[in-house]
Amino acid sequence: MQHVVVLGGSIAGMAAARALRSLGKRVTVVEPDGLAATAARDGVPQSGQLHALLDMGRTQAERWFPGLSKDLVAEGAVLGSGSEIQLFSRGRRKVSVPGNELIGVSRGLLEEHIRRRTLLDDGVSVRAGKACGLVVRDMRVAAVRVRAADSDEVHLVPADAVVDATGRSSRLASWLREEGWPQPPVDRMRIDLGYATARFRRGHELPDVRVAHQLPAAASGTGAQPDTGAMAAVEGDQWMAVIAAYAGMRPTRDPADFRRRMKEMDAGPFGVVADRCELIGEVETYGMAHSLRRRWWEVERLPGGLFVVGDAVASFNPVYGQGMTSALLHASCLAAYLRRGADLRAPAHAYFHHVRVVVNAAWELSTLSDLAQPHVTGPYPRGYPLARKMAEWMEEASTTDAWVNERFLDVVNMRRRPADLQTPRFWWRVAMARARR
């Protein structure tokens, strides 16, 4: 049985482990925090923030962890659909889309279920320690250097293949350089984002709302940056609410300021929760300086048996909720690559080209919106002014036309690629919706 070492016990790492087990591979997960079934991981400082599992992410999660949604709901997670999901854009509520679903759950509960399911498999073992290098022999990965969790001693863990799921701070490129291999080109877009999450006691104040989202918007003519926000009903009869803003407008840990900003949003549910609900615990903040994309598919010379998943490939602006869904899709890319009969120990160029489709679709959607912010200085893609104007038309039309909004949400939820919004029929409907307005 071939042995694969997965670096990182994140959702990306767990999903990759499940994909590998579906193909009969033996898996060792290397994680600095260890992986107790219910323990939080110290290496995830943003774990207390509200996270989104987009619809395609839930579909892929059900593929690798059948019955996951049902189990989460049984423990208090909340599944919302149709009009229970309220989206607001520029002060107007967008028309609801029947069949659109989102699950409200904390990252802690979601990770706990995914981790527990993965570690119940006898073919998956865990090694507590921190990966600190690779060993490449005969043009392929042969082992991982692992520093023990309780000492400075470094051990070699032999492997037929390695999957890097260590997140946006991945050191893989540096390890390859030390072994004489090229590094991937890297794209960075400065976003200077700050966001804050608070939990509130949930009662009967919003019986018909499960999820509300104030969509990102460009700065106003006065230069003021409107807040982006989302809130979801989650386990424990709670609301989790997040506020995000850029540069000097980033939210703080001040509870009074958090409530004030919720009330000032042009989205009614936020004000209701701010006025009527008890705050639980403290406001947690986190920041992200830039979005990041490592273009592994452009590296012509790769050691065999090397794969990268999750934020180690690309880390997007979190206000679009693409991270966990992308990670789950990367696991499906890995399974598809190996199911086609690819040699696990060969350079995985075809895998990275498969992942490129997922990464670039998410990158295109998020960065196009980010570039509308005055402090974001590019790089601007060719034809950006027209693309930005068309995006504004589409956003306007999706507010009132359910057909347009359904296809827009298909792209937002990563069910379709952005290119699917460029058909003549779609833009005819956009034009008709704008004419009616």
Side-chain angles (χ1 to χ4, degrees):
M1 186 181 294
Q2 290 179 306
H3 176 224
V4 182
V5 174
V6 174
L7 307 180
S10 61
I11 289 176
M14 295 292 97
R18 290 285 282 199
L20 290 162
R21 287 297 297 140
S22 74
L23 295 157
K25 313 302 180 186
R26 184 167 58 90
V27 177
T28 297
V29 179
V30 175
E31 167 61 40
D33 300 325
L35 280 176
T38 60
R41 294 187 301 120
D42 294 336
V44 190
Q46 74 275 28
S47 61
Q49 301 295 324
L50 176 62
H51 286 71
L53 184 61
L54 303 179
D55 191 60
M56 177 53 81
R58 194 161 63 89
T59 297
Q60 298 301 318
E62 288 288 338
R63 174 185 180 184
W64 298 118
F65 307 94
L68 177 64
S69 296
K70 181 179 178 181
D71 289 349
L72 290 171
V73 170
E75 290 204 29
V78 180
L79 183 64
S81 63
S83 61
E84 295 174 330
I85 303 171
Q86 298 187 3
L87 307 179
F88 296 84
S89 176
R90 303 177 189 276
R92 299 187 62 180
R93 180 180 166 187
K94 300 182 75 170
V95 62
S96 299
V97 174
N100 185 37
E101 292 185 339
L102 284 173
I103 191 165
V105 61
S106 69
R107 174 165 179 157
L109 182 60
L110 177 63
E111 252 191 14
E112 179 184 326
H113 273 263
I114 287 176
R115 187 185 311 160
R116 184 188 305 147
R117 296 275 201 98
T118 305
L119 300 183
L120 281 173
D121 189 332
D122 291 338
V124 179
S125 60
V126 177
R127 184 162 187 144
K130 183 175 182 179
C132 55
L134 290 178
V135 176
V136 181
R137 297 193 191 105
D138 300 325
M139 306 297 289
R140 70 174 186 83
V141 174
V144 180
R145 293 186 177 91
V146 177
R147 181 174 292 109
D150 54 357
S151 72
D152 290 332
E153 190 175 356
V154 175
H155 302 273
L156 291 184
V157 181
D160 295 299
V162 171
V163 177
D164 179 17
T166 56
R168 64 182 280 128
S169 60
S170 167
R171 299 286 298 161
L172 178 59
S174 298
W175 299 342
L176 289 176
R177 184 183 65 240
E178 293 168 3
E179 294 284 335
W181 293 84
Q183 301 178 83
V186 178
D187 297 317
R188 287 184 175 85
M189 177 173 286
R190 174 180 168 268
I191 57 173
D192 196 12
L193 175 76
Y195 52 109
T197 292
R199 291 174 179 255
F200 295 87
R201 193 79 62 194
R202 175 164 55 90
H204 301 288
E205 60 282 336
L206 291 170
D208 300 322
V209 179
R210 299 292 179 267
V211 177
H213 190 188
Q214 170 80 1
L215 298 174
S220 68
T222 63
Q225 168 64 54
D227 288 340
T228 296
M231 57 180 248
V234 301
E235 72 274 8
D237 294 324
Q238 296 179 7
W239 292 106
M240 285 188 76
V242 61
I243 295 174
Y246 298 92
M249 297 298 294
R250 289 173 293 181
T252 69
R253 298 172 62 90
D254 180 5
D257 182 63
F258 194 95
R259 287 184 186 271
R260 176 187 62 79
R261 294 174 81 141
M262 288 184 72
K263 293 176 184 179
E264 290 177 354
M265 285 188 182
D266 292 327
F270 290 89
V272 171
V273 169
D275 276 331
R276 303 186 190 177
C277 298
E278 174 193 356
L279 182 67
I280 304 171
E282 298 181 348
V283 178
E284 296 188 32
T285 58
Y286 191 71
M288 180 179 287
H290 56 263
S291 299
L292 176 71
R293 175 175 61 172
R294 297 180 174 102
R295 303 198 305 271
W296 286 101
W297 47 89
E298 294 183 13
V299 180
E300 295 183 0
R301 193 170 64 92
L302 285 169
L306 184 64
F307 303 88
V308 190
V309 296
D311 285 359
V313 182
S315 176
F316 313 100
N317 184 334
V319 302
Y320 307 105
Q322 299 164 318
M324 292 192 297
T325 298
S326 293
L328 289 157
L329 282 166
H330 297 170
S332 296
C333 291
L334 176 59
Y337 168 75
L338 294 175
R339 280 204 180 94
R340 287 196 290 265
D343 182 354
L344 183 69
R345 303 184 183 190
H349 294 293
Y351 162 76
F352 284 112
H353 280 283
H354 197 173
V355 164
R356 173 181 58 87
V357 177
V358 177
V359 169
N360 287 353
W363 184 265
E364 177 183 341
L365 184 68
S366 62
T367 57
L368 182 64
S369 297
D370 288 338
L371 286 169
Q373 309 303 332
H375 71 284
V376 177
T377 56
Y380 291 89
R382 182 180 302 174
Y384 169 75
L386 177 59
R388 183 64 232 165
K389 180 58 67 176
M390 293 174 71
E392 291 173 1
W393 294 339
M394 177 177 62
E395 179 184 326
E396 180 184 333
S398 67
T399 301
T400 57
D401 189 299
W403 188 91
V404 172
N405 197 29
E406 181 179 4
R407 276 136 193 87
F408 171 71
L409 288 176
D410 279 346
V411 172
V412 170
N413 282 293
M414 300 182 75
R415 292 189 292 257
R416 296 175 181 265
R417 292 186 292 176
D420 290 340
L421 299 181
Q422 303 304 322
T423 65
R425 183 186 182 194
F426 179 81
W427 284 103
W428 173 256
R429 288 294 296 254
V430 168
M432 292 298 97
R434 295 188 72 243
R436 285 194 298 273
R437 285 190 63 182

